[in-house]
Amino acid sequence: MWINVEGYEGKYQISNNGEVRSIHPSRGVRILSPCRASNGKLYIELYWKGRRKTYMLHNLLADSFKIPVEDAKRIIYEGYKGKNAAKDNVRAWLIEKIVECERSHIDYHDEILYLKKFLSSL
């Protein structure tokens, strides 16, 4: 889900997983790449009327979606960006559950179909 970055309406948007995109009338829409500070945290630079402002990505996410900063840090630094570890963990868990259901002697046909459908959406 994308929402406008406060103060940059119509120019920048942020997604619920921490991606930032710019919207330009002639250049179109493009995803911005964050930079890494010396402390390992990600930051992004936004421009408005020729002025640059730097935001820590987790703070921008927290302010935009009105969530606690710790939750924003968890989203950005624990898998939703970069290595996609959280998505991979869910995928691995789903595959494990599908295998367990298929090996059991209990009829889990509907559950298996549901898990496979969810897995294909990842």
Side-chain angles (χ1 to χ4, degrees):
M1 171 170 76
W2 293 91
I3 62 171
N4 288 319
V5 174
E6 190 175 325
Y8 298 90
E9 288 80 5
K11 188 154 173 78
Y12 294 101
Q13 292 182 330
I14 188 167
S15 72
N16 56 339
N17 67 353
E19 291 180 310
V20 178
R21 67 182 180 186
S22 68
I23 303 166
H24 194 275
S26 61
R27 287 181 260 166
V29 176
R30 65 186 178 102
I31 303 291
L32 302 178
S33 297
C35 300
R36 190 168 297 278
S38 59
N39 65 1
K41 301 295 183 193
L42 298 174
Y43 68 92
I44 197 101
E45 295 176 338
L46 304 181
Y47 294 85
W48 185 260
K49 297 182 181 177
R51 294 185 162 207
R52 176 183 66 188
K53 183 143 184 188
T54 303
Y55 296 92
M56 296 308 291
L57 192 54
H58 58 271
N59 289 334
L60 188 63
L61 179 65
D63 292 343
S64 297
F65 282 93
K66 311 295 186 239
I67 61 174
V69 174
E70 290 306 314
D71 288 347
K73 284 181 181 178
R74 205 172 355 271
I75 289 169
I76 298 217
Y77 300 112
E78 291 183 12
Y80 293 97
K81 296 272 300 163
K83 296 179 182 174
N84 288 323
K87 197 178 207 183
D88 292 341
N89 289 342
V90 171
R91 183 178 283 118
W93 181 84
L94 285 170
I95 291 170
E96 179 184 321
K97 292 302 169 192
I98 289 170
V99 170
E100 283 178 22
C101 287
E102 289 176 340
R103 287 183 180 166
S104 72
H105 298 292
I106 303 170
D107 184 18
Y108 285 118
H109 180 70
D110 292 337
E111 289 82 358
I112 292 172
L113 290 177
Y114 175 79
L115 291 173
K116 285 182 177 179
K117 183 178 178 183
F118 188 78
L119 180 63
S120 67
S121 70
L122 293 176

